[in-house]
Amino acid sequence: MWPVTTTRNTSGELQVGGVSLVDLAAEFGTPVYVYDEQTLRQNARTFREALAAVYPRSRVAYAAKAFLTTAVVQILCEEGLGLDVVSGGELAVGLRAGMPPREIALHGNNKSGAELRQAADAGVGMVIVDNEQDIDLLAVLALNCSEPITVMLRINPGVDVHTHRKISTGLADSKFGLPVIGGQAEAAVARLAGTPGLDLVGYHAHVGSQLFDCEATVSSVDALIAFAASMRECYGVECRHLSPGGGFGIAYRDGDRPPSPQNWTNVLADAVRAACDRHALPLPMLTIEPGRAIVGPAGVALYSVGSVKELPGIRTYVAVDGGMADNLRPSLYEAEYSAEIANRKAAGDEREVAIAGKYCESGDILIERIVLPPVTSGDLLAIPAAGAYCLSMASNYNMALKPPVVLVNDGAARLIRRRETFDDLVRCDIPLR
Ligand code: LLP
């Protein structure tokens, strides 16, 4: 749940990457998001090495949507990861960070012509075709490209997964990919195979996020490979590259026990081998796309406590200086988090409180129920496992300033994204006079 370097120093202050969170709050203010470089690198390396150990022709592409800054891409690039992007904006940041274009794949269920052109001009390694319109647009673009555009087809394998409805993507009724059942995926293969300038190298699926059970992913691999076998038979298309996407869950609270990267990669490698064996297919290149599992545990959100409002017999609201503008997940998915008092080793009678945000919305509650020692105004509250899908989904609701991001390592803190200012809030705002 916490970054691997987390400790309490002799004054009882929480410390990450060798830096006291009290010192970070003093230097950068709160709310602030703290990323531990060691955890980030370790997660990236663990996934890459674990997969390579059991399936040598493989790659790990980080899903940029989980959290994207230039420095993070630079670190993950150094660790040998590729990058998955879903928009022109993510692509631009990935390129700016120096990620080699060949290592970038463009996803999206409604890519614009401009985004596809941007990807083709940059020379990205792969475009994942989601729908008929992608094929229409790519076919035209390919006419002006000197080399074929490499594509994978995203299929919808019709796999049910155990996760929140809003982050489940493999069911028959989904806006992502083309369903195998009913023949739409097959029709796309027929078209792609007959389109000059497009090189269909294989198939992709992503069945959901924050997954704890490997079974859904195995079913998805089975469906991908069965589909690949039948497309080889019908259209002579060889499956040279396969991706079951990402979705590997992480611990948010004590007692959460997600499979380890080794569990995931073993299960996936076995599933690919077994299915290819069954269908007498050569082993394809394998790409996995973890997002949350790389950055989630590396990030800690640090807030200051302000008002503590006790409603006798009802509940105590401990309000912090952030909330749904920097972390929408509790409001959107009923996501559950834990927290600790960061500025002191707290003692005293523990009791249940709610951690409320500061925004004008009753639903702006970061933690519905948490048992904590007495918390008072001025305390610092740290929320672990805040590295994924918090800042990447942040907003300026109530004209909130997006918090800064600090990278810590070996006792040093480095600002990698500054706090927004009031000027930033009006940078795109055009007055009448
Ligand atoms: N690949 C594809 C094609 C995806 O759509 C996603 C996530 C990933 C990889 C990475 O999934 P991860 O390993 O991070 O679970 N905002 C939600 C999660 C949305 C995930 C969307 N797609 C949340 O906060 O839980």
Side-chain angles (χ1 to χ4, degrees):
M1 210 157 67
W2 293 90
V4 293
T5 59
T6 309
T7 51
R8 288 234 176 228
N9 64 21
T10 45
S11 320
E13 301 164 358
L14 262 186
Q15 181 170 302
V16 179
V19 185
S20 153
L21 296 185
V22 174
D23 292 347
L24 287 179
E27 185 172 353
F28 300 102
T30 56
V32 55
Y33 277 70
V34 181
Y35 280 76
D36 180 44
E37 184 169 345
Q38 201 175 313
T39 306
L40 198 59
R41 287 187 186 275
Q42 183 173 312
N43 290 345
R45 211 170 293 166
T46 304
F47 264 103
R48 198 174 49 72
E49 290 175 355
L51 185 59
V54 290
Y55 199 100
R57 286 191 57 233
S58 60
R59 51 192 291 283
V60 178
Y62 168 65
K65 72 199 82 173
F67 176 59
L68 184 59
T69 72
T70 305
V72 164
V73 178
Q74 288 169 333
I75 289 172
L76 297 180
C77 190
E78 283 172 14
E79 293 299 334
L81 269 55
L83 194 70
D84 262 15
V85 299
V86 290
S87 68
E90 288 188 358
L91 175 56
V93 176
L95 291 170
R96 172 177 188 253
M99 180 61 75
R102 291 268 118 211
E103 293 300 324
I104 302 180
L106 177 67
H107 282 268
N109 74 306
N110 188 21
K111 306 172 193 74
S112 68
E115 286 171 324
L116 287 166
R117 201 170 320 112
Q118 182 191 354
D121 288 350
V124 303
M126 182 93 68
V127 175
I128 289 82
V129 166
D130 174 275
N131 53 59
E132 291 286 336
Q133 173 174 279
D134 279 350
I135 307 178
D136 296 342
L137 294 170
L138 284 168
V140 176
L141 271 179
L143 299 175
N144 292 315
C145 291
S146 52
E147 285 181 27
I149 301 176
T150 306
V151 303
M152 275 173 125
L153 176 67
R154 176 158 178 178
I155 65 164
N156 181 340
V159 171
D160 195 0
V161 293
H162 303 288
T163 190
H164 193 278
R165 180 181 56 80
K166 286 185 185 162
I167 49 176
S168 164
T169 44
L171 286 169
D173 179 3
S174 165
K175 71 169 183 168
F176 295 106
L178 288 169
V180 172
I181 296 160
Q184 279 164 284
E186 173 173 349
V189 172
R191 249 194 101 188
L192 285 167
T195 306
L198 300 187
D199 184 17
L200 173 62
V201 296
Y203 308 102
H204 180 283
H206 169 84
V207 289
S209 200
Q210 182 57 5
L211 305 177
F212 272 44
D213 76 299
C214 303
E215 269 164 47
T217 314
V218 169
S219 308
S220 161
V221 165
D222 286 348
L224 276 164
I225 291 173
F227 180 72
S230 110
M231 293 305 99
R232 175 157 102 155
E233 205 171 303
C234 298
Y235 305 97
V237 176
E238 295 290 342
C239 176
R240 286 167 278 156
H241 202 142
L242 193 88
S243 177
F248 316 115
I250 62 167
Y252 282 96
R253 303 204 314 161
D254 274 341
D256 286 352
R257 295 271 174 272
S260 68
Q262 285 84 357
N263 289 152
W264 281 111
T265 53
N266 287 344
V267 163
L268 282 170
D270 287 350
V272 173
R273 277 212 191 78
C276 284
D277 234 35
R278 272 198 309 279
H279 295 282
L281 289 185
L283 289 180
M285 172 91 179
L286 181 64
T287 294
I288 59 169
E289 306 170 338
R292 186 191 319 263
I294 304 284
V295 287
V300 173
L302 186 63
Y303 302 99
S304 293
V305 173
S307 133
V308 177
K309 188 180 291 173
E310 194 169 340
L311 304 181
I314 303 177
R315 197 197 281 268
T316 296
Y317 286 98
V318 173
V320 295
D321 53 357
M324 68 189 298
D326 60 272
N327 185 357
L328 193 57
R329 301 192 69 258
S331 317
L332 198 55
Y333 315 118
E334 293 93 41
E336 295 182 332
Y337 282 88
S338 68
E340 271 194 36
I341 298 171
N343 51 308
R344 59 190 168 90
K345 183 135 187 53
D349 285 346
E350 300 201 328
R351 58 178 182 154
E352 191 180 284
V353 298
I355 308 298
K358 67 171 283 161
Y359 302 107
C360 264
E361 183 116 358
S362 306
D364 177 27
I365 303 291
L366 285 172
I367 304 179
E368 281 272 336
R369 291 165 203 287
I370 182 167
V371 176
L372 285 176
V375 192
T376 54
S377 180
D379 274 334
L380 292 172
L381 204 73
I383 295 193
Y389 301 110
C390 291
L391 289 184
S392 63
M393 301 202 299
S395 78
N396 292 115
Y397 184 47
N398 291 174
M399 288 288 158
L401 303 175
K402 287 188 192 155
V405 180
V406 177
L407 188 70
V408 291
N409 194 21
D410 249 347
R414 189 162 163 183
L415 188 67
I416 57 169
R417 186 184 153 94
R418 65 161 173 80
R419 185 183 306 285
E420 286 185 342
T421 62
F422 291 154
D423 281 343
D424 291 327
L425 293 178
V426 291
R427 200 191 294 145
C428 306
D429 175 329
I430 304 168
L432 282 179
R433 58 188 73 82

